[in-house]
Structure formats: structure tokens, C-alpha cells
Amino acid sequence: MAGENTGPAVILVEPQLGENIGMAARAMLNCGLRDLRLVQPRDGWPNGSARAAAKGAVDVIDNAQLFETTEAAIADLARLYATTARPRDMTKRVVTPRQAAQEIRQADEAGNRAGILFGRESMGLDNDDVALADTVLTVPVSADLTSLNLAQAVFITGHEWFLAGHDTTDEMLAVPKETRPANKQELIGLFEHLEQELDDCGFLRVAEKRPTMVRNIRNIFQRANLTEQEVRTLRGVVKGLARNDKE
Amino acid sequence: MAGENTGPAVILVEPQLGENIGMAARAMLNCGLRDLRLVQPRDGWPNGSARAAAKGAVDVIDNAQLFETTEAAIADLARLYATTARPRDMTKRVVTPRQAAQEIRQADEAGNRAGILFGRESMGLDNDDVALADTVLTVPVSADLTSLNLAQAVFITGHEWFLAGHDTTDEMLAVPKETRPANKQELIGLFEHLEQELDDCGFLRVAEKRPTMVRNIRNIFQRANLTEQEVRTLRGVVKGLARNDKE
């Protein structure tokens, strides 16, 4: 990944609530984005409730740039997305946040800055702002409730950009530092220990059922992806239970 | 997609601020999720600020189930994810929201309900709650700011579930209902009209440059994916400009 990527600028056009500006800033920094631009925030600027809601992202608020017009806010950008929930009566490319993320990464690598416009909470972007954009960006949401909080829209868009630049492993096994996955020898040692005790206590006494039962029990513990430490714990459990039984 | 899927239950364990509960409910309904369960919300229940923050998702708040313990809240679930930001000292599968979404869809189709645990805003889930889960779910975020708002965590997780069930086209061309993409005959008609006028006004007078210039101009309009209506608009533009020129 190009370390120089600063990601898309986030341009809030006439945002209404300071709290939403703050939460948007926090969402941006969660995604590694810092370039916040404001076009005529309703309650003026600076705004105390924006700072308060930003939590750990106060720097993003303090470094936000203020503009009189959308045109001025986007002047340096080579690519612009307009976030809208509803289709406008325009012929326009419409992409998902995931598609936009790919395009913005590619543009970044070619040295072309991108930006994303977000409209006011009550009614979104007006059509003139949408017409400034190359592409419409629509966050797919359920028909159950299509009205999306501003900070959520910023977050989902920024997060797709963040994910697109990271080789996130979708699945891994977290293991405490002081241990490691058990090897097969350790696992088989556990199995044989357990099966010996199960033979001794008579649990496996029906000879024709024994092979299936042993396989089933082994499969349970195979599936558990045991660590070396856990194998030792389980051997202690088996030993403890068996001793109890014999006393 | 199976229409019967109700998606994962969202279980908030000891949530602190009513507003966050409300915003989480709104985020759920944005993703088509309705099964909200609360374990000992700090400020009691019902909670007026939760209702206020839920906006269009008041139903989700009003139908939320209240539980004394996490164990009681998850009793009917076959699969449980615990959302944590930091690695715990446990051996545990860890997945992204995207991976969890696939698994939850598969479980749903097999008739197995899943749930996702979210901890209190200040300190997340405690280790005993995490130990109740099959799998840890971690939202990948930037090291710039790892503290994620509760409703954002609910949204990103629910949204991946939502997306996993919809064949969302990452890119499309929105076209107003009253028109359609131009066909090639209409496009070529525009080209020839434009080139005729450019010949007449002398713009294409240098014969050896003419083929390249014509190709370049045609490419500009090809790239624009014009509608039939836009072709007519452009022919009017050409005609208007040319008439102006001649008068």
C-alpha cells in the first residue's frame, strides 16, 4: 500500500448539528482520514459541540477547513463523489462505497486527490452540488429505514476506503502470547490418555461401539483447535476426574 | 435470498447512554435488523433519550427485550459473536464483520439464530461475556483512533450482514425514467452534425490533423455515456452555437 495516501477529503455541505460534525470527525479518524472540509455549517465555526462529540478526533475538528461555497471546497480535487440516498433525475454513474473505495485508492496512487460530498442532515445535497460530482455514491440500506445518520454515512464510506488499503484477514485464531497451537503429538497424547481412562471406567466397554465413540470424541477436540496449554489443562481435567472416580 | 432471515440478534450488555441505545436501534433498522436485547442498561428501561435518538426506529426500541444476565439474553441462540476491539488473553477465533456476515447468513439458512454481543461504551465486554461466545468479532479500524462509537460498531456489523444478502451492483448508471441510453445511430448522427459544423466554421481546416481531432472529439462524447435526451440537447447546443457563429 502506498504510505503516502491521505485518502479522500470529507466535505460536509451545510451541516446542521455540531454533534454530527464531531461524530463524523471521529468516524473519519477511525478510518485514518483527516481532511475535513465544511461548507457553511449552520451554527457557525468553531463549534463547541462538534469538538465535544469528536472525542479522540479533536485534531480533525481543529484542522477542519471552512469554505463559503462547495466549488471552493473542492477546487483542488481531481475526483468527486456526491453521497445521496435517493436517485436524482440525472444521468450519472452511481457506485457503492466499496466501489468508490477502489477507485479512490487507484486515483490516490496516480496522485489524484478525491473527495466525498455529504449533504445536510435534513435534506441531503442539492442538485447543483450533485452536478459538481463525477459520480454519485449511495450507501445501500434496508427499505425498513433509509434515513442514515450523517456520521454513519461518513463511517461506512471511510471504512470501505480503509479496508481497501489493508490486507485484513477475515478470519484468524487469536492465541495468548505465552502459548502456541498444540502439535499433533500432544493432541494424540491427550486422546490416548483420555481413552485409557475411559476404558478403565468402563465408558468404552461395548467393543463394537468403541471405534466410533473414540473417533467422535477425537473429532470434538480436533475441532477445538487446542493450544499446547489447553492440552495440558485437559490432561489435568481427565486425571482429576479419573482420580475422583477411583477414590 | 431466504426472505425468512431475521438476521442476528443485537445484544447490548450494560449499555450506558440511552442515546447510544437509540442510535444503535436506528443503525439496526437501516440494516433490516429488529431483534434488540438489552442486559441491564445503566439508566434503566424504558429510556426516553433512547427513544428520541432512535428516530425512525422507535419500534425497535419499544420491542427491545430486557434481561438480567447475558446468559439469559443469549439462551435461544445457536451462534454467538462477541465484539471486542482489543485482543483478549484467550484462544479464540477472531473474524471481521464481513466474515461474520457470511457465517450468520449460512447459519440462518440452516435455521440457527445468531447473535452479536456489544459491550458497554467505556470498557467493552468483560472476559466472562467473551467466553460465552463462539467467536470474537473485531471491526478493523485505523491505529489513528481505535475507539469506536457503539452505534458505529452495530452499523458496520449489521451493514455487512445486510450487504451479504443483497446482490448490490457496485456500479450502475442512473438514468431518468423518461429517457434511455442513446443508441449508436443517434450518437453518430450527433458526431456527423458536429463535425459538419466544425468543418463549416473552419475549426477542422488543417487536413492532416482532422482525423485525430475528430477521433478525440468522438471519444469525449463516447465516454459520457449519453442518453437519447442528451444527444438531442447536444444537437441543439451545436445548432445554437453554429447559428450564432453565422449571424
Side-chain angles (χ1 to χ4, degrees):
Chain A
M1 306 304 127
E4 297 302 305
N5 287 353
T6 53
V10 169
I11 305 120
L12 307 185
V13 181
E14 298 178 24
Q16 297 168 303
L17 290 170
E19 194 184 5
N20 282 333
I21 305 173
M23 289 178 68
R26 182 179 175 187
M28 287 173 63
L29 201 55
N30 282 143
C31 307
L33 299 176
R34 294 167 180 276
D35 185 352
L36 174 61
R37 307 177 184 194
L38 305 171
V39 179
Q40 299 201 28
R42 187 191 64 187
D43 298 336
W45 198 256
N47 179 319
S49 41
R51 276 193 115 234
K55 309 265 180 192
V58 171
D59 278 1
V60 174
I61 291 292
D62 290 346
N63 293 318
Q65 297 177 76
L66 197 63
F67 295 91
E68 275 300 304
T69 63
T70 307
E71 284 84 346
I74 65 171
D76 61 318
L77 303 175
R79 190 180 194 98
L80 188 67
Y81 295 83
T83 311
T84 77
R86 54 205 163 78
R88 308 297 176 104
D89 210 29
M90 298 188 199
T91 303
K92 204 94 177 167
R93 243 179 115 239
V94 180
V95 298
T96 59
R98 199 163 292 174
Q99 173 68 22
Q102 298 294 341
E103 296 172 5
I104 292 170
R105 289 270 169 194
Q106 283 163 15
D108 259 341
E109 275 171 31
N112 299 318
R113 277 305 303 284
I116 309 171
L117 292 176
F118 295 87
R120 68 214 67 145
E121 294 93 318
S122 58
M123 46 186 289
L125 293 166
D126 65 34
N127 284 340
D128 287 336
D129 285 335
V130 176
L132 291 171
D134 311 291
T135 303
V136 163
L137 191 162
T138 297
V139 179
V141 286
S142 167
D144 291 343
L145 182 64
T146 57
S147 149
L148 194 61
N149 168 270
L150 176 59
Q152 299 280 28
V154 170
F155 183 59
I156 202 86
T157 308
H159 196 252
E160 288 286 356
W161 176 83
F162 175 76
L163 284 183
H166 289 255
D167 297 324
T168 311
T169 309
D170 278 336
E171 177 180 344
M172 53 171 267
L173 187 71
V175 169
K177 269 193 287 295
E178 61 276 10
T179 185
R180 55 167 175 76
N183 62 38
K184 291 303 174 196
Q185 182 180 32
E186 289 156 350
L187 212 54
I188 291 165
L190 167 66
F191 293 158
E192 291 178 346
H193 178 185
L194 175 61
E195 289 150 17
Q196 181 61 58
E197 294 294 353
L198 292 176
D199 278 328
D200 288 355
C201 74
F203 184 84
L204 296 174
R205 66 186 171 278
V206 186
E208 67 271 26
K209 290 191 177 168
R210 192 181 183 283
T212 308
M213 293 188 78
V214 163
R215 261 196 315 273
N216 289 348
I217 293 167
R218 286 186 173 205
N219 277 333
I220 291 169
F221 290 104
Q222 289 284 7
R223 223 159 51 218
N225 286 323
L226 299 173
T227 64
E228 177 274 332
Q229 198 177 51
E230 289 168 334
V231 167
R232 278 188 283 123
T233 301
L234 285 173
R235 292 193 70 150
V237 167
V238 171
K239 199 167 162 186
L241 291 174
R243 185 186 304 127
N244 230 357
D245 202 43
K246 283 166 187 171
E247 273 163 6
Chain B
M1 304 305 125
E4 299 301 307
N5 286 353
T6 52
V10 169
I11 305 120
L12 307 184
V13 180
E14 298 178 21
Q16 297 168 303
L17 290 171
E19 195 184 4
N20 283 333
I21 303 173
M23 292 179 66
R26 182 179 176 187
M28 286 174 63
L29 201 55
N30 282 143
C31 306
L33 299 177
R34 296 170 179 274
D35 185 354
L36 174 61
R37 307 177 183 193
L38 305 170
V39 179
Q40 300 202 25
R42 187 192 62 186
D43 298 338
W45 198 256
N47 180 318
S49 41
R51 275 192 117 237
K55 308 265 181 194
V58 170
D59 279 359
V60 174
I61 291 292
D62 290 346
N63 293 318
Q65 297 177 75
L66 197 63
F67 295 92
E68 275 300 303
T69 63
T70 306
E71 284 85 345
I74 64 172
D76 61 317
L77 303 175
R79 192 180 192 97
L80 188 67
Y81 295 83
T83 311
T84 76
R86 53 203 163 78
R88 308 300 175 101
D89 209 30
M90 298 187 200
T91 303
K92 204 94 177 168
R93 244 177 114 239
V94 180
V95 299
T96 59
R98 199 162 292 175
Q99 172 68 22
Q102 298 294 342
E103 296 173 5
I104 292 170
R105 288 271 169 195
Q106 283 164 13
D108 258 341
E109 276 171 31
N112 299 317
R113 278 303 304 285
I116 309 172
L117 292 176
F118 295 87
R120 69 215 68 148
E121 294 92 320
S122 58
M123 47 185 288
L125 292 166
D126 65 34
N127 285 339
D128 286 337
D129 285 334
V130 175
L132 291 172
D134 311 292
T135 303
V136 163
L137 190 161
T138 297
V139 179
V141 287
S142 167
D144 291 344
L145 181 64
T146 57
S147 149
L148 194 60
N149 170 268
L150 176 60
Q152 299 280 30
V154 170
F155 184 59
I156 203 86
T157 308
H159 196 252
E160 288 286 356
W161 176 83
F162 175 76
L163 285 183
H166 289 256
D167 296 325
T168 311
T169 309
D170 278 337
E171 177 178 344
M172 53 172 267
L173 188 72
V175 169
K177 267 192 290 295
E178 61 276 13
T179 186
R180 54 165 176 76
N183 62 37
K184 292 304 174 194
Q185 182 179 33
E186 289 157 349
L187 211 55
I188 291 165
L190 167 67
F191 293 158
E192 290 177 346
H193 178 185
L194 175 61
E195 289 149 16
Q196 181 60 57
E197 295 293 352
L198 292 176
D199 278 329
D200 287 357
C201 74
F203 183 84
L204 295 173
R205 67 186 172 278
V206 185
E208 66 272 28
K209 289 191 177 168
R210 192 182 183 283
T212 308
M213 294 188 77
V214 164
R215 260 198 313 273
N216 290 347
I217 293 166
R218 288 188 171 204
N219 277 333
I220 291 168
F221 290 104
Q222 289 284 8
R223 221 159 53 219
N225 286 322
L226 298 173
T227 64
E228 177 275 332
Q229 197 177 53
E230 288 167 335
V231 167
R232 278 188 283 122
T233 302
L234 285 172
R235 292 192 73 149
V237 167
V238 171
K239 198 169 166 185
L241 291 173
R243 185 185 304 129
N244 230 359
D245 203 41
K246 284 166 192 171
E247 275 164 6

mmCIF file of all heavy atoms in Angstrom, chain A residues 76-102:
data_model
loop_
_atom_site.group_PDB
_atom_site.id
_atom_site.type_symbol
_atom_site.label_atom_id
_atom_site.label_comp_id
_atom_site.label_asym_id
_atom_site.label_seq_id
_atom_site.Cartn_x
_atom_site.Cartn_y
_atom_site.Cartn_z
ATOM 1 N N ASP A 76 -9.313 21.823 -5.440
ATOM 2 C CA ASP A 76 -8.057 21.095 -5.656
ATOM 3 C C ASP A 76 -8.251 19.613 -5.944
ATOM 4 O O ASP A 76 -7.273 18.883 -6.130
ATOM 5 C CB ASP A 76 -7.168 21.241 -4.420
ATOM 6 C CG ASP A 76 -7.826 20.651 -3.180
ATOM 7 O OD1 ASP A 76 -9.058 20.872 -2.997
ATOM 8 O OD2 ASP A 76 -7.137 19.959 -2.408
ATOM 9 N N LEU A 77 -9.486 19.147 -5.969
ATOM 10 C CA LEU A 77 -9.725 17.704 -6.089
ATOM 11 C C LEU A 77 -9.883 17.287 -7.547
ATOM 12 O O LEU A 77 -10.433 18.021 -8.365
ATOM 13 C CB LEU A 77 -10.982 17.314 -5.311
ATOM 14 C CG LEU A 77 -10.950 17.680 -3.820
ATOM 15 C CD1 LEU A 77 -12.282 17.359 -3.162
ATOM 16 C CD2 LEU A 77 -9.799 16.985 -3.098
ATOM 17 N N ALA A 78 -9.394 16.081 -7.856
ATOM 18 C CA ALA A 78 -9.467 15.596 -9.231
ATOM 19 C C ALA A 78 -10.679 14.700 -9.449
ATOM 20 O O ALA A 78 -11.057 14.419 -10.583
ATOM 21 C CB ALA A 78 -8.199 14.822 -9.576
ATOM 22 N N ARG A 79 -11.271 14.261 -8.350
ATOM 23 C CA ARG A 79 -12.371 13.283 -8.464
ATOM 24 C C ARG A 79 -13.315 13.538 -7.312
ATOM 25 O O ARG A 79 -12.892 13.678 -6.173
ATOM 26 C CB ARG A 79 -11.763 11.891 -8.353
ATOM 27 C CG ARG A 79 -12.712 10.802 -8.683
ATOM 28 C CD ARG A 79 -12.086 9.434 -8.558
ATOM 29 N NE ARG A 79 -12.952 8.472 -9.209
ATOM 30 C CZ ARG A 79 -12.768 8.036 -10.434
ATOM 31 N NH1 ARG A 79 -11.747 8.411 -11.138
ATOM 32 N NH2 ARG A 79 -13.630 7.174 -10.959
ATOM 33 N N LEU A 80 -14.602 13.583 -7.628
ATOM 34 C CA LEU A 80 -15.555 13.955 -6.587
ATOM 35 C C LEU A 80 -16.772 13.032 -6.603
ATOM 36 O O LEU A 80 -17.388 12.789 -7.647
ATOM 37 C CB LEU A 80 -16.006 15.409 -6.783
ATOM 38 C CG LEU A 80 -16.863 15.996 -5.664
ATOM 39 C CD1 LEU A 80 -16.064 16.148 -4.374
ATOM 40 C CD2 LEU A 80 -17.436 17.351 -6.086
ATOM 41 N N TYR A 81 -17.112 12.534 -5.424
ATOM 42 C CA TYR A 81 -18.305 11.701 -5.232
ATOM 43 C C TYR A 81 -19.340 12.503 -4.455
ATOM 44 O O TYR A 81 -18.994 13.225 -3.516
ATOM 45 C CB TYR A 81 -17.951 10.439 -4.451
ATOM 46 C CG TYR A 81 -17.011 9.544 -5.207
ATOM 47 C CD1 TYR A 81 -15.634 9.772 -5.182
ATOM 48 C CD2 TYR A 81 -17.497 8.499 -5.967
ATOM 49 C CE1 TYR A 81 -14.769 8.972 -5.900
ATOM 50 C CE2 TYR A 81 -16.641 7.693 -6.697
ATOM 51 C CZ TYR A 81 -15.274 7.934 -6.655
ATOM 52 O OH TYR A 81 -14.428 7.139 -7.382
ATOM 53 N N ALA A 82 -20.595 12.378 -4.828
ATOM 54 C CA ALA A 82 -21.689 13.026 -4.114
ATOM 55 C C ALA A 82 -22.543 11.946 -3.467
ATOM 56 O O ALA A 82 -23.077 11.076 -4.153
ATOM 57 C CB ALA A 82 -22.532 13.862 -5.068
ATOM 58 N N THR A 83 -22.635 11.976 -2.136
ATOM 59 C CA THR A 83 -23.398 10.963 -1.416
ATOM 60 C C THR A 83 -24.878 11.328 -1.438
ATOM 61 O O THR A 83 -25.257 12.396 -0.957
ATOM 62 C CB THR A 83 -22.918 10.873 0.042
ATOM 63 O OG1 THR A 83 -21.503 10.787 0.046
ATOM 64 C CG2 THR A 83 -23.508 9.676 0.749
ATOM 65 N N THR A 84 -25.696 10.486 -2.023
ATOM 66 C CA THR A 84 -27.138 10.724 -1.998
ATOM 67 C C THR A 84 -27.862 9.421 -1.707
ATOM 68 O O THR A 84 -27.412 8.349 -2.109
ATOM 69 C CB THR A 84 -27.687 11.291 -3.331
ATOM 70 O OG1 THR A 84 -27.769 10.223 -4.281
ATOM 71 C CG2 THR A 84 -26.820 12.399 -3.882
ATOM 72 N N ALA A 85 -28.973 9.549 -0.996
ATOM 73 C CA ALA A 85 -29.741 8.359 -0.627
ATOM 74 C C ALA A 85 -30.716 7.997 -1.731
ATOM 75 O O ALA A 85 -30.949 6.838 -2.027
ATOM 76 C CB ALA A 85 -30.503 8.612 0.670
ATOM 77 N N ARG A 86 -31.282 9.028 -2.355
ATOM 78 C CA ARG A 86 -32.322 8.763 -3.349
ATOM 79 C C ARG A 86 -31.786 9.083 -4.741
ATOM 80 O O ARG A 86 -30.910 9.925 -4.905
ATOM 81 C CB ARG A 86 -33.564 9.603 -3.041
ATOM 82 C CG ARG A 86 -33.272 11.062 -2.918
ATOM 83 C CD ARG A 86 -34.285 11.816 -2.050
ATOM 84 N NE ARG A 86 -33.708 13.096 -1.663
ATOM 85 C CZ ARG A 86 -33.635 14.168 -2.440
ATOM 86 N NH1 ARG A 86 -34.108 14.119 -3.664
ATOM 87 N NH2 ARG A 86 -33.074 15.272 -2.019
ATOM 88 N N PRO A 87 -32.309 8.396 -5.757
ATOM 89 C CA PRO A 87 -31.877 8.687 -7.119
ATOM 90 C C PRO A 87 -32.332 10.096 -7.507
ATOM 91 O O PRO A 87 -33.427 10.525 -7.159
ATOM 92 C CB PRO A 87 -32.588 7.632 -7.958
ATOM 93 C CG PRO A 87 -33.695 7.102 -7.104
ATOM 94 C CD PRO A 87 -33.343 7.361 -5.687
ATOM 95 N N ARG A 88 -31.496 10.822 -8.177
ATOM 96 C CA ARG A 88 -31.870 12.138 -8.677
ATOM 97 C C ARG A 88 -32.236 11.984 -10.135
ATOM 98 O O ARG A 88 -31.897 10.996 -10.779
ATOM 99 C CB ARG A 88 -30.689 13.119 -8.535
ATOM 100 C CG ARG A 88 -30.089 13.167 -7.154
ATOM 101 C CD ARG A 88 -31.084 13.658 -6.121
ATOM 102 N NE ARG A 88 -30.494 13.609 -4.784
ATOM 103 C CZ ARG A 88 -30.068 14.679 -4.131
ATOM 104 N NH1 ARG A 88 -30.165 15.868 -4.662
ATOM 105 N NH2 ARG A 88 -29.564 14.557 -2.915
ATOM 106 N N ASP A 89 -32.890 12.966 -10.637
ATOM 107 C CA ASP A 89 -33.296 12.909 -12.030
ATOM 108 C C ASP A 89 -32.137 13.328 -12.915
ATOM 109 O O ASP A 89 -32.216 14.315 -13.656
ATOM 110 C CB ASP A 89 -34.513 13.817 -12.231
ATOM 111 C CG ASP A 89 -35.404 13.281 -13.338
ATOM 112 O OD1 ASP A 89 -35.417 12.048 -13.525
ATOM 113 O OD2 ASP A 89 -36.050 14.087 -14.010
ATOM 114 N N MET A 90 -31.047 12.581 -12.791
ATOM 115 C CA MET A 90 -29.844 12.916 -13.546
ATOM 116 C C MET A 90 -29.265 11.636 -14.113
ATOM 117 O O MET A 90 -29.420 10.574 -13.540
ATOM 118 C CB MET A 90 -28.773 13.502 -12.620
ATOM 119 C CG MET A 90 -29.157 14.782 -11.942
ATOM 120 S SD MET A 90 -27.709 15.459 -11.081
ATOM 121 C CE MET A 90 -28.554 16.563 -9.951
ATOM 122 N N THR A 91 -28.576 11.787 -15.246
ATOM 123 C CA THR A 91 -27.845 10.658 -15.782
ATOM 124 C C THR A 91 -26.458 10.695 -15.180
ATOM 125 O O THR A 91 -25.682 11.615 -15.431
ATOM 126 C CB THR A 91 -27.761 10.762 -17.316
ATOM 127 O OG1 THR A 91 -29.084 10.839 -17.815
ATOM 128 C CG2 THR A 91 -27.048 9.562 -17.895
ATOM 129 N N LYS A 92 -26.182 9.729 -14.348
ATOM 130 C CA LYS A 92 -24.997 9.824 -13.505
ATOM 131 C C LYS A 92 -24.582 8.422 -13.108
ATOM 132 O O LYS A 92 -25.416 7.588 -12.803
ATOM 133 C CB LYS A 92 -25.408 10.599 -12.243
ATOM 134 C CG LYS A 92 -24.288 11.269 -11.536
ATOM 135 C CD LYS A 92 -24.165 12.689 -11.984
ATOM 136 C CE LYS A 92 -23.065 13.397 -11.214
ATOM 137 N NZ LYS A 92 -22.743 14.665 -11.848
ATOM 138 N N ARG A 93 -23.289 8.185 -13.095
ATOM 139 C CA ARG A 93 -22.763 6.944 -12.554
ATOM 140 C C ARG A 93 -23.105 6.884 -11.078
ATOM 141 O O ARG A 93 -22.925 7.863 -10.362
ATOM 142 C CB ARG A 93 -21.246 6.962 -12.685
ATOM 143 C CG ARG A 93 -20.659 5.924 -13.553
ATOM 144 C CD ARG A 93 -19.147 6.113 -13.577
ATOM 145 N NE ARG A 93 -18.522 4.968 -12.963
ATOM 146 C CZ ARG A 93 -17.735 5.002 -11.919
ATOM 147 N NH1 ARG A 93 -17.466 6.139 -11.308
ATOM 148 N NH2 ARG A 93 -17.205 3.904 -11.446
ATOM 149 N N VAL A 94 -23.557 5.722 -10.611
ATOM 150 C CA VAL A 94 -23.845 5.524 -9.192
ATOM 151 C C VAL A 94 -23.014 4.350 -8.702
ATOM 152 O O VAL A 94 -23.036 3.284 -9.312
ATOM 153 C CB VAL A 94 -25.343 5.214 -8.957
ATOM 154 C CG1 VAL A 94 -25.628 5.017 -7.474
ATOM 155 C CG2 VAL A 94 -26.217 6.325 -9.532
ATOM 156 N N VAL A 95 -22.263 4.536 -7.622
ATOM 157 C CA VAL A 95 -21.438 3.440 -7.103
ATOM 158 C C VAL A 95 -21.710 3.228 -5.616
ATOM 159 O O VAL A 95 -22.235 4.101 -4.931
ATOM 160 C CB VAL A 95 -19.922 3.706 -7.301
ATOM 161 C CG1 VAL A 95 -19.575 3.816 -8.770
ATOM 162 C CG2 VAL A 95 -19.476 4.937 -6.532
ATOM 163 N N THR A 96 -21.346 2.048 -5.151
ATOM 164 C CA THR A 96 -21.396 1.734 -3.722
ATOM 165 C C THR A 96 -20.135 2.280 -3.049
ATOM 166 O O THR A 96 -19.133 2.577 -3.713
ATOM 167 C CB THR A 96 -21.422 0.211 -3.503
ATOM 168 O OG1 THR A 96 -20.236 -0.341 -4.098
ATOM 169 C CG2 THR A 96 -22.653 -0.418 -4.128
ATOM 170 N N PRO A 97 -20.142 2.380 -1.721
ATOM 171 C CA PRO A 97 -18.914 2.771 -1.016
ATOM 172 C C PRO A 97 -17.737 1.843 -1.352
ATOM 173 O O PRO A 97 -16.606 2.292 -1.464
ATOM 174 C CB PRO A 97 -19.312 2.649 0.462
ATOM 175 C CG PRO A 97 -20.783 2.903 0.482
ATOM 176 C CD PRO A 97 -21.298 2.273 -0.791
ATOM 177 N N ARG A 98 -18.037 0.563 -1.549
ATOM 178 C CA ARG A 98 -16.953 -0.391 -1.830
ATOM 179 C C ARG A 98 -16.301 -0.109 -3.169
ATOM 180 O O ARG A 98 -15.065 -0.152 -3.302
ATOM 181 C CB ARG A 98 -17.521 -1.820 -1.769
ATOM 182 C CG ARG A 98 -16.468 -2.886 -1.592
ATOM 183 C CD ARG A 98 -17.078 -4.211 -1.131
ATOM 184 N NE ARG A 98 -17.598 -4.112 0.231
ATOM 185 C CZ ARG A 98 -18.290 -5.076 0.851
ATOM 186 N NH1 ARG A 98 -18.533 -6.216 0.234
ATOM 187 N NH2 ARG A 98 -18.725 -4.902 2.081
ATOM 188 N N GLN A 99 -17.119 0.174 -4.172
ATOM 189 C CA GLN A 99 -16.586 0.504 -5.492
ATOM 190 C C GLN A 99 -15.831 1.832 -5.449
ATOM 191 O O GLN A 99 -14.728 1.958 -6.000
ATOM 192 C CB GLN A 99 -17.735 0.576 -6.506
ATOM 193 C CG GLN A 99 -17.356 1.062 -7.893
ATOM 194 C CD GLN A 99 -16.470 0.098 -8.649
ATOM 195 O OE1 GLN A 99 -16.427 -1.091 -8.360
ATOM 196 N NE2 GLN A 99 -15.728 0.618 -9.612
ATOM 197 N N ALA A 100 -16.407 2.817 -4.771
ATOM 198 C CA ALA A 100 -15.744 4.121 -4.653
ATOM 199 C C ALA A 100 -14.383 3.967 -3.979
ATOM 200 O O ALA A 100 -13.403 4.604 -4.373
ATOM 201 C CB ALA A 100 -16.621 5.089 -3.854
ATOM 202 N N ALA A 101 -14.314 3.101 -2.979
ATOM 203 C CA ALA A 101 -13.056 2.899 -2.243
ATOM 204 C C ALA A 101 -11.949 2.436 -3.186
ATOM 205 O O ALA A 101 -10.817 2.932 -3.130
ATOM 206 C CB ALA A 101 -13.271 1.879 -1.123
ATOM 207 N N GLN A 102 -12.289 1.495 -4.069
ATOM 208 C CA GLN A 102 -11.300 1.002 -5.034
ATOM 209 C C GLN A 102 -10.844 2.130 -5.959
ATOM 210 O O GLN A 102 -9.653 2.290 -6.223
ATOM 211 C CB GLN A 102 -11.893 -0.126 -5.888
ATOM 212 C CG GLN A 102 -12.305 -1.369 -5.106
ATOM 213 C CD GLN A 102 -11.130 -2.100 -4.493
ATOM 214 O OE1 GLN A 102 -9.985 -1.916 -4.917
ATOM 215 N NE2 GLN A 102 -11.377 -2.900 -3.477
#
